[in-house]
Amino acid sequence: VNTTLTWLNLWQNSIDTVGAVALADVLKVNTTMTDLELGYNNIGTAGVVALADALTFNTTLTALGLDRNEVHIDGVVALADALNINETLTKLGLRDNGIDTAG
């Protein structure tokens, strides 16, 4: 596990769900990253659910950018549940995801 990287910007890199799940596995054990930008990657709900699960373990990430990733209600619910546990995330970007009033 990398112990020096604090900021990673993967904006618009075709990460998709598989990549998001892999990043989520890393976030569960990473203790140095504070800022992760994943905007415009078509992560989808399953990828966001995996990232939300990682947030329940991670204690260092303070900013997560998920703009324009096809996040829908199940992803929003997973993130909300994770934020009830996570005490370090202070910035969460979800713009342009088509989240309606139910989200």
Side-chain angles (χ1 to χ4, degrees), residues 7 10 36 43-44 64 66 71 74 78 94 98:
W7 181 71
L10 294 171
L36 178 59
I43 289 171
L64 177 60
L66 295 172
V71 178
D74 291 340
L94 289 169

Side-chain angles (χ1 to χ4, degrees), residues 11-90:
W11 189 83
Q12 201 169 0
N13 271 286
S14 302
I15 299 297
D16 72 28
T17 299
V18 174
V21 170
L23 285 168
D25 288 342
V26 170
L27 281 177
K28 287 180 182 179
V29 295
N30 182 280
T31 58
T32 57
M33 188 174 305
T34 59
D35 193 333
L36 178 59
E37 175 54 61
L38 297 173
Y40 290 75
N41 276 299
N42 295 319
I43 289 171
T45 298
V48 171
V49 168
L51 290 166
D53 179 55
L55 289 176
T56 66
F57 296 92
N58 184 282
T59 59
T60 56
L61 199 68
T62 59
L64 177 60
L66 295 172
D67 297 341
R68 206 164 195 181
N69 269 300
E70 301 298 322
V71 178
H72 299 291
I73 189 68
D74 291 340
V76 172
V77 169
L79 286 168
D81 289 345
L83 292 175
N84 280 323
I85 297 167
N86 181 290
E87 296 179 350
T88 55
L89 195 73
T90 58

